[in-house]
Amino acid sequence: MEILLVSNMYPSEQFPSYGVFVRNIEVRLSESSVGVDKCVLTKKTGRGSKLIGYARFFGQAFFKYHFKRYDLVYVHYIAHSFVPLLLSAFHRKNKILLHVHGGDVLRQKEVSRWYFWLKWTVVKQALRRADGVVVPSRYYRDLLVHRFGVEKELVSVVASGGIDLSLFRPGAGSESSGFTIGYVGRLDHGNGVETLLRAIASVSTDLGDFHCIVV
């Protein structure tokens, strides 16, 4: 089986945690004897660097999708990564699996209305062509079903890049008589860790003995 992995978020030596879950998926697929050809974009910091990076990324994705044959095209962050496939999707029907991560279907505070409208337009076109969609939670599954009209049977709920059980597994339990609230993820504004902390602060007097662990 040959897969084309398309993502505008992929780790680099300079930014090793940026999109690391995409690389983890690639590694697991390769370990399962799946051939993975990738078309990815690492993080760029300057405006000029971003423009050049996206131009190359779009061109490479368009060429590979249009002129090579794959059993599956696996697209992450569809609001950006599906753009080069919009036209080519009319010419050849490769099976397409979309992976929704959040900001591609929900507007974040720092994103303007017109820019999100453009993203929304791309997302709607991508979902119409999808043979399957992966989402991180049941909330996003219901969002796609009710707001975008995606058939529920096409949507699979999977924790981002999966869970490495050698790192995260049930332990012997805490010595605390209370309970533990956990957050695992990048300390990024869009991930909502500040919302968790504000929520805990607002009800901390009612929680009793508890711990909050941020990883």
Side-chain angles (χ1 to χ4, degrees), residues 6-8 54 57-58 61-62 65 73-90 92-99 104 119 121-132:
V6 183
S7 176
N8 70 322
Y54 266 99
F57 171 61
F58 285 168
F62 180 89
Y65 182 91
V73 179
Y74 187 11
V75 186
H76 286 259
Y77 283 102
I78 55 179
H80 297 85
S81 300
F82 198 82
V83 170
L85 308 185
L86 281 174
L87 293 178
S88 55
F90 288 108
R92 173 181 292 174
K93 177 59 177 177
N94 286 307
K95 285 190 176 297
I96 297 174
L97 177 64
L98 304 179
H99 200 132
D104 37 3
K119 292 172 63 175
T121 303
V122 174
V123 167
K124 286 194 296 184
Q125 294 299 320
L127 290 171
R128 288 176 182 174
R129 296 165 170 79
D131 296 285

Side-chain angles (χ1 to χ4, degrees), residues 134-180:
V134 178
V135 295
S137 68
R138 286 175 291 180
Y139 170 82
Y140 281 102
R141 179 193 62 194
D142 295 341
L143 178 72
L144 295 186
V145 170
H146 298 298
R147 189 174 296 183
F148 289 91
V150 179
E151 294 182 19
K152 189 174 182 179
E153 294 73 20
L154 295 180
V155 185
S156 300
V157 179
V158 181
S160 195
I163 300 173
D164 185 347
L165 295 179
S166 67
L167 294 175
F168 304 102
R169 57 189 182 277
S174 171
E175 295 180 359
S176 169
S177 59
F179 61 96
T180 301

Side-chain angles (χ1 to χ4, degrees), residues 38 52 71 76 85 113 115 134 160:
K38 63 177 178 286
I52 295 173
D71 297 294
H76 286 259
L85 308 185
R113 291 184 180 275
Y115 183 53
V134 178
S160 195

